[in-house]
Amino acid sequence: MGSVSEAEPSEESTRRVPTGSTGLDALLNGGWLHGGTYMVTGAPGTGKTILGNQLCFSHVAGGGRAVFISMLSESHGRMVTHLRRMNFFRRDVIGQSLHYVSGYATLKSEGLDGLARLLYRSVREHQATVLVLDGLLAVQESAGSVLAFREFLHGLGVHNALAGCTTLVLTNRQENAADPQFAMVDGVLVLELQLRGMRAVRTLEVSKLRGEAQLLGRHTFEINERGLNVYPRLESLYPHPPQEELDLERRLGFGLTRLDEMLTGGVRPHSSTLLLGSPGSGKTLLGLHFLESGARQGEPGLYFGFMETSPRLLAKAAGVGLELRPWVDKGRLVMETRTAVESLPDALVHELLGLVERHRIRRLVLDGLEPLLQEPLEPSRAPGFLTALVNVLRTRGVTTLVTQQTQMLFGPRLEARLEGVDAIVDNIVFLRYVEFRSQLYRMLSILKMRESDYQPALREFSISTRGIDVAETFESAEAILTGLARPLNVKSKRSRLKKAVRRMPSRKRSRA
């Protein structure tokens, strides 16, 4: 028989208590450990009390019992009033499976020992499996000594572990990481509210989780009617490239014959393609063609953009002979538009992945990378962030088209706002305006295709009420390299003119 240290952990000791926030559960590898004691620290207004209540209401909704003990002088009635707007709030469970207890008067009159007795009695009498103690700083200030405070925390942890009660203590941020209180708990969660420019951003970090794996680093979160919504950094959730079997034969086309010919039939399944081009060059319409082609083949598609609403996109597509409404009505095409103003990039990506999962999407058009890489996303995060996004979409069997604008309409230089994207995606389709004989023409070329042959020839394409038409070639194809068409050689032009004159009848030749 093995020793205690060699024994396998019991099912009871590894059982998880969900936090009430799916994103936070992901950071904690499933939730708080059953019977553990955890500390949530942060400045006033960072969301500690909401998180504590979110845990309590979530726990009782799952059949558990909870006690929330406040060390604040304000009444519980005021706190409950603030909680009414939260979706998780249920008035009928208060006093039944969830009990609010004030510990402020007991601490004042009976000290630390009296408060400890109140906590133990509350857990026992209410048969609580979750206890939240809000206002640990007041307890620390009343302790009298560091030793007394450490003994209080240690005793609370031991008692509740034996009682099978998971404990959350909430306190104001302590700047000293070596503070003794951090050593007495099983985990520490740090909430912060930071100013980045004129914008306030909420961040969260699991700085300690004893004996457990967690997603390290800071992660953003929001507080809204659902409570704390935590968005784990995508690159921490999906740090490794997917293991996949390549389908080297199948192709996914745009439904545009000449463009599909240039792509040798289309792009490969589960690949990522960048549609790079000037504003108005046709990126969105090409993306809609890709989705419509998939819908005709029974492949659900998702348009996820930031500028044009669904009615405008449907009207825009119909204006060039592309009818998308029937596919929307059948559920094969989902059109979603989000406002990128004051949005968290991590939140947008998690919502996007939720839509992909819910609708079992196989083709995706992400119309605009720029909003996903705006602040508060640090520039250093961008490559890893995009790589993780491409990897997770590939893992879920999605073939992705993303659009990106160049900074110049035409000219000798090609400048993109997002450096390094070309190395992350599998394919690049380049759209550009070319000036030729006082007119602007649209040009299209394939710059890159991984693991595939393609036609590098430059093509003119046009957009009209009859749809998108990709031509065989362009009269001055080399203009795509500079954006400025070169005039024909003067000597060659005169030579052709002389030959044409010689072929004319004598009467016309004299006039010429």
Side-chain angles (χ1 to χ4, degrees), residues 2-9:
S3 65
V4 173
S5 61
E6 295 171 340
E8 291 294 327

Side-chain angles (χ1 to χ4, degrees), residues 382-393:
F385 181 81
L386 288 178
T387 299
L389 177 58
V390 168
N391 285 342
V392 67
L393 288 170

